[in-house]
Amino acid sequence: MGDNEMASINSGQALRGEGSTPPYPGSVVLETTNQCNLRCRMCHVWGADVTRRRETGFIREDVWRKAIDEMSDWREPVNLALHGAGEALLHKDFLKILAYATSKENLSVGFLTNGSLLTKELSDAIMQTDIAWIGFSVDGAEEDKYRKYRNADLKKVESAIENVVSLRKNGRPRIFVNMVALPDIDVEKYVSRWVHMLDEVKVSTYRPPGHRDFLTREIERVPCSMLDEMLVIAWNGVGVLCCEDIWADVSLGRFPEWSLLDLWHSPPLEQARKLHRAGKYSGIPICARCDSWSNQFTSTEIREPENLKLVKCAAQTSYRRITKEQNLK
């Protein structure tokens, strides 16, 4: 939780003004673990000089099974993300969780990974499931810069991504990469490396650890759409305010003592929505210093010579290849 990529699983619709809360969340983040095998310098959770304020652990089977079972009974489709503030593939039962979740018809399941643990055998097993999407966090296309920020092997990760691409059938799963736009990384080289191979290339705005702001200029504030779209469940079953609440500062209650829908309509979350609708953002400390709400405002650019479509918001720029026919529409 808290990585720029996590907000990208949202549908991007605005909080419903004076309307009622949607009966179901469109997206659920079910944190498999907040442990990580890397110590990326710019990470808000495991980065240098970050004071961690949350116990680490792995989601128990009784928690993930009950959560997936409840979601499978909902009358609406759900985008289920099996990651959190760590590396999902560290969970010893990750494949078991993924297989169970993808067996449910109304769940569109995927996860974010740094890719460093993705062996060919593990990739084969993942691709045997009905997984809908995989996102890879890969900072840049230069080995020295990658090692500088992640202290890991870029070529190994690139090979793992290429292998997953080779295993796809009928364009599934959707695969994207994301990098943090650190000042000395060549963004265009990164985009060129992946944009003609993958479904999407994302470049996220750099925020120093501890900062929750993307905007470089002031715009009129609006209610945050994430409160109406996403339910986040930490590895220990605690529901938290949103994916920016990386230290679980706002607890909604604990699953399975409370059902997922109870947490979705819980007093703390409903109060947060009420304050946002009333424009009283400072009533929630984490919201007072966060501008993720701005990401629902996007602009589009078409680069005709390269046949690329760019969708930009404060947090991120998305690059997708387009056909000439799409360009003309």
Side-chain angles (χ1 to χ4, degrees):
M1 296 172 291
D3 195 295
N4 298 354
E5 302 149 22
M6 299 185 190
S8 72
I9 71 173
N10 293 337
S11 65
Q13 308 226 338
L15 193 73
R16 299 169 184 211
E18 298 301 320
S20 60
T21 302
Y24 304 98
S27 296
V28 175
V29 176
L30 191 62
E31 184 179 58
T32 46
T33 183
N34 59 345
Q35 289 274 18
C36 194
N37 61 314
L38 299 184
R39 296 294 181 266
C40 304
R41 291 170 62 174
M42 63 293 185
C43 179
H44 287 235
V45 180
W46 292 102
D49 302 322
V50 173
T51 301
R52 282 172 285 282
R53 297 188 283 107
R54 186 157 68 98
E55 183 183 7
T56 59
F58 297 84
I59 195 169
R60 301 193 318 262
E61 183 166 355
D62 64 309
V63 175
W64 62 257
R65 275 192 183 275
K66 288 179 181 178
I68 292 169
D69 284 343
E70 180 180 339
M71 283 182 276
S72 69
D73 288 335
W74 293 352
R75 296 187 298 273
E76 300 286 344
V78 181
N79 187 17
L80 173 60
L82 296 176
H83 58 253
E87 171 52 49
L89 296 180
L90 281 173
H91 198 297
K92 65 181 181 61
D93 290 330
F94 181 77
L95 281 175
K96 189 176 180 181
I97 301 170
L98 179 64
Y100 192 69
T102 56
S103 71
K104 308 300 183 180
E105 291 185 359
N106 68 318
L107 303 186
S108 178
V109 186
F111 67 100
L112 302 176
T113 176
N114 60 47
S116 63
L117 301 176
L118 197 60
T119 63
K120 288 186 176 181
E121 293 75 19
L122 183 54
S123 296
D124 287 340
I126 289 172
M127 298 298 275
Q128 292 301 311
T129 71
D130 190 25
I131 188 169
W133 56 274
I134 305 175
F136 291 91
S137 299
V138 188
D139 289 301
E142 303 156 279
E143 291 184 67
D144 58 334
K145 303 292 176 56
Y146 185 85
R147 189 166 294 280
K148 171 184 174 181
Y149 289 110
R150 289 187 173 252
N151 194 27
D153 186 342
L154 175 61
K155 291 301 181 184
K156 179 182 178 182
V157 172
E158 290 182 332
S159 295
I161 297 172
E162 290 168 346
N163 180 57
V164 170
V165 172
S166 73
L167 297 173
R168 289 206 294 184
K169 295 179 180 179
N170 300 317
R172 280 179 65 91
R174 183 173 69 88
I175 301 174
F176 63 89
V177 291
N178 180 74
M179 65 162 275
V180 178
L182 294 153
D184 58 344
I185 292 182
D186 188 333
V187 172
E188 293 302 321
K189 184 175 182 178
Y190 177 77
V191 173
S192 298
R193 170 70 175 86
W194 295 112
V195 76
H196 297 292
M197 183 187 305
L198 307 181
D199 298 289
E200 188 175 12
V201 175
K202 301 180 181 184
V203 177
S204 292
T205 303
Y206 170 63
R207 298 183 295 177
H211 286 252
R212 307 245 63 87
D213 50 319
F214 295 108
L215 289 170
T216 56
R217 61 184 179 85
E218 188 173 332
I219 62 174
E220 184 178 356
R221 182 156 189 174
V222 298
C224 184
S225 62
M226 288 195 291
L227 298 177
D228 236 9
E229 296 170 350
M230 177 191 291
L231 177 64
V232 179
I233 306 298
W235 66 268
N236 58 0
V238 172
V240 302
L241 185 64
C242 68
C243 62
E244 292 285 357
D245 190 5
I246 57 176
W247 306 122
D249 291 327
V250 181
S251 173
L252 310 180
R254 187 185 296 268
F255 180 86
E257 287 84 357
W258 289 50
S259 72
L260 295 180
L261 283 187
D262 285 340
L263 295 175
W264 181 240
H265 297 282
S266 63
L269 192 48
E270 289 288 14
Q271 175 66 6
R273 293 175 179 128
K274 181 179 179 181
L275 289 171
H276 271 244
R277 290 178 180 125
K280 299 178 180 179
Y281 310 108
S282 60
I284 312 165
I286 190 174
C287 298
R289 52 190 176 84
C290 177
D291 61 18
S292 288
W293 54 268
S294 66
N295 297 328
Q296 58 196 285
F297 298 108
T298 63
S299 62
T300 301
E301 174 188 342
I302 301 296
R303 290 188 180 176
E304 292 186 3
E306 303 162 88
N307 288 324
L308 293 181
K309 179 180 180 180
L310 282 64
V311 179
K312 303 177 181 181
C313 67
Q316 199 169 70
T317 298
S318 164
Y319 298 75
R320 297 187 187 188
R321 65 187 184 278
I322 55 174
T323 64
K324 291 182 178 180
E325 290 77 14
Q326 289 173 319
N327 197 350
L328 293 172
K329 291 180 180 179

